[in-house]
Amino acid sequence: MSTTRAHLDAASSEPLHPAARETLLAALDHGWADPRRLHHEGRRARLLLDNAREAVAESLDVRPDEVTFTASGTEAVHRGLLGLHRGRGTSGGGTPTLVHSAVEHSAVLHAARWTGDPVREVPVTRTGRVTGEALSGVVDEVLRPAGGPTGRVTVAAVQHANHEVGTVHDVAGLADLLGDVPLFVDACASTGRLPLPRGWAAAAASAHKWGGPAGVGLLLVRKGARWRNPFPADDRVDERGTGFENVPAALAAAAALQAVVAERDTLGPAQAALVDRVRAVAATVPDVEVVGDPVDRLPHLVTFSCLYVDGEALVTELDRRGFGVASGSACTASTLRPSHVLAAMGVLTHGNVRLSLARDTDPGQVEELLRVLPEVVATLRGRVGL
Amino acid sequence: MSPADLELDCREMLCPMPVIELARHVGDVAVGGTVAVVTRDAAARVDVPAWCRMRGHEYVGEDAADDGVPRHVVRRLA
């Protein structure tokens, strides 16, 4: 049994990167003032904020004026999706309609339904992939419905990578198919780990998922995109954001992003190889199904479901043995509903485990988990007489 | 409501118990026979068809029992 705990849930939150910690501590002393003020302290905070924006832009290969710091990834998703919807919502004929994939993060689902406008969902394959055919099919149905009024797609949302199963989308290819329909890309699961794809009109990311501090999101709005603020305006540094800027956290988030992008070429393949091993070994446990795309996937994340096993019991038993993992099973959710991602893919929702590797995950601890997994699964099945 | 050769009352069970009950009792009907799982468990809507796929049985579909509780019908193929 492991003597130290293994945090295998980096997709929920990656521990703070050392570069972020160092930057955060320094910036707390220098970035506290109001960056809109013209006094020395204000100008110093403004300089740090501008530095953070430039560092993020460089890391993601976007323009600095395309970057807005938000209070969370969720806020960035809301502003990105709803801002594109509002930018298109008032002009032209047809009922304004939002389209999103069936495997989007719940932030996208909730925001789309919050508008009160019609929402159409794009089905996915067994591996959680939105095909161009499926996306075009739903857009065509909105434009040319079999019955009822003609609609108009204001925005289509397709994530870069799925947060639960790791499947990565060909965002640029889907954007080409969409033509004039603006694409919103939730890049929260992939930012820092994979290069940002092209093709989005707006995108969102979340710093605590790449080793930055919590409470920092990124809203990216492509130069020239028709985006209108969906919420009350605020007279801050950045017209797309709201509230007093958390300058130290933004700078720390930027420092972490720079660091993980610099480490990506070595860390990514190492994590991908370890995940390949988890996929191979987990699949040998009787009645365990490894889900998500085996190749086009996030480097650090793997999900599998164990038939006849209670997800909550599995998480609890692994936790007792020192492994912190996530689950998409209904019994582990506050809503008691199974993961809508697993449901949309048509894969088993119970007995579900998601492992996601942090930058400092010890491969030996992953091997230890693989060693105990068959026994844990067999023990839990034994409790229900199987 | 379509007829079934065996109906399993899993109304008060939570996941994964309805699927476990199904696995325990699918052998109680002949090959080609049907088993209905009656349950309020929301996960069964996904997990019963997934179980059929993994186990090589046919998911016939969902209807409702007389009391309105969802009912998932499976045909034993092997």
Side-chain angles (χ1 to χ4, degrees):
Chain A
M1 195 172 289
S2 302
T3 50
T4 54
R5 288 193 53 82
H7 173 69
L8 299 173
D9 190 19
S12 291
S13 200
E14 171 91 19
L16 197 65
H17 194 288
R21 176 183 298 274
E22 199 179 302
T23 303
L24 183 62
L25 291 175
L28 285 171
D29 290 333
H30 301 288
W32 49 268
D34 186 342
R36 291 176 314 163
R37 298 297 173 218
L38 298 179
H39 47 62
H40 173 77
E41 292 77 10
R43 280 186 281 117
R44 193 171 57 183
R46 177 61 187 261
L47 188 66
L48 295 183
L49 184 62
D50 289 347
N51 285 350
R53 195 186 313 280
E54 276 163 29
V56 164
E58 195 186 331
S59 298
L60 300 179
D61 195 20
V62 301
R63 298 166 50 112
D65 62 1
E66 293 174 330
V67 177
T68 296
F69 290 103
T70 62
S72 67
T74 299
E75 192 202 350
V77 165
H78 290 171
R79 288 180 172 274
L81 180 79
L82 298 173
L84 292 176
H85 179 61
R86 187 153 189 247
R88 291 261 172 164
T90 51
S91 60
T95 311
T97 303
L98 301 94
V99 167
H100 65 72
S101 90
V103 293
E104 294 301 303
H105 189 277
S106 58
V108 171
L109 274 53
H110 286 304
R113 276 145 193 83
W114 178 82
T115 64
D117 289 325
V119 178
R120 295 295 306 274
E121 205 166 87
V122 183
V124 295
T125 64
R126 183 63 44 76
T127 60
R129 179 170 305 289
V130 177
T131 63
E133 199 180 1
L135 181 61
S136 302
V138 170
V139 170
D140 283 347
E141 278 170 34
V142 173
L143 299 176
R144 286 175 284 277
T150 306
R152 178 166 49 87
V153 179
T154 55
V155 57
V158 179
Q159 63 202 184
H160 182 208
N162 186 267
H163 51 294
E164 287 187 40
V165 301
T167 299
V168 172
H169 283 102
D170 172 19
V171 166
L174 295 174
D176 289 343
L177 289 175
L178 284 168
D180 291 341
V181 173
L183 178 65
F184 171 72
V185 174
D186 171 7
C188 288
S190 63
T191 299
R193 303 178 187 277
L194 298 174
L196 186 69
R198 66 164 187 86
W200 45 268
S206 176
H208 73 95
K209 290 180 189 285
W210 70 66
V216 182
L218 295 180
L219 166 64
L220 307 175
V221 177
R222 196 53 109 190
K223 181 91 178 159
R226 281 165 65 182
W227 183 94
R228 281 184 68 194
N229 196 336
F231 302 129
D234 196 5
D235 302 321
R236 300 302 310 173
V237 171
D238 184 331
E239 61 182 13
R240 296 193 188 104
T242 190
F244 189 90
E245 297 81 3
N246 188 344
V247 174
L251 196 66
L257 184 60
Q258 279 184 317
V260 297
V261 167
E263 293 164 356
R264 181 162 69 200
D265 288 349
T266 37
L267 186 62
Q271 289 183 328
L274 194 51
V275 163
D276 275 340
R277 171 142 171 81
V278 174
R279 291 184 70 97
V281 173
T284 64
V285 181
D287 291 318
V288 169
E289 189 174 45
V290 182
V291 301
D293 196 290
V295 179
D296 293 328
R297 58 166 175 79
L298 288 170
H300 68 303
L301 187 154
V302 50
T303 303
F304 52 87
S305 292
C306 311
L307 192 59
Y308 310 134
V309 173
D310 176 343
E312 185 179 11
L314 190 51
V315 169
T316 305
E317 180 58 22
L318 288 173
D319 186 60
R320 194 182 70 77
R321 291 169 182 249
F323 305 101
V325 303
S327 172
S329 294
C331 45
T332 66
S334 54
T335 54
L336 288 182
R337 312 283 308 177
S339 147
H340 69 272
V341 172
L342 300 175
M345 293 163 62
V347 298
L348 209 61
T349 71
H350 70 244
N352 179 258
V353 166
R354 180 188 72 182
L355 305 183
S356 46
L357 312 176
R359 60 184 287 282
D360 59 354
T361 297
D362 172 6
Q365 290 181 313
V366 176
E367 290 296 336
E368 178 63 13
L369 182 139
L370 292 176
R371 195 184 66 75
V372 303
L373 183 67
E375 175 207 327
V376 168
V377 169
T379 302
L380 295 175
R381 282 177 181 156
R383 280 188 203 163
V384 292
L386 286 167
Chain B
M1 195 170 85
S2 58
D5 298 314
L6 177 67
E7 188 163 292
L8 302 172
D9 180 5
C10 305
R11 283 177 175 77
E12 306 310 321
M13 293 179 186
L14 288 176
C15 92
M17 289 313 293
V19 173
I20 290 174
E21 281 300 292
L22 176 58
R24 278 186 180 135
H25 292 287
V26 71
D28 296 352
V29 301
V31 172
T34 52
V35 183
V37 181
V38 182
T39 181
R40 293 186 175 88
D41 170 28
R45 186 161 289 131
V46 182
D47 287 355
V48 172
W51 178 86
C52 290
R53 177 174 55 76
M54 292 170 78
R55 276 279 166 271
H57 299 296
E58 179 193 347
Y59 182 64
V60 179
E62 176 184 340
D63 54 17
D66 290 339
D67 57 357
V69 176
R71 187 173 171 273
H72 305 278
V73 182
V74 171
R75 186 182 313 282
R76 181 182 172 196
L77 293 185

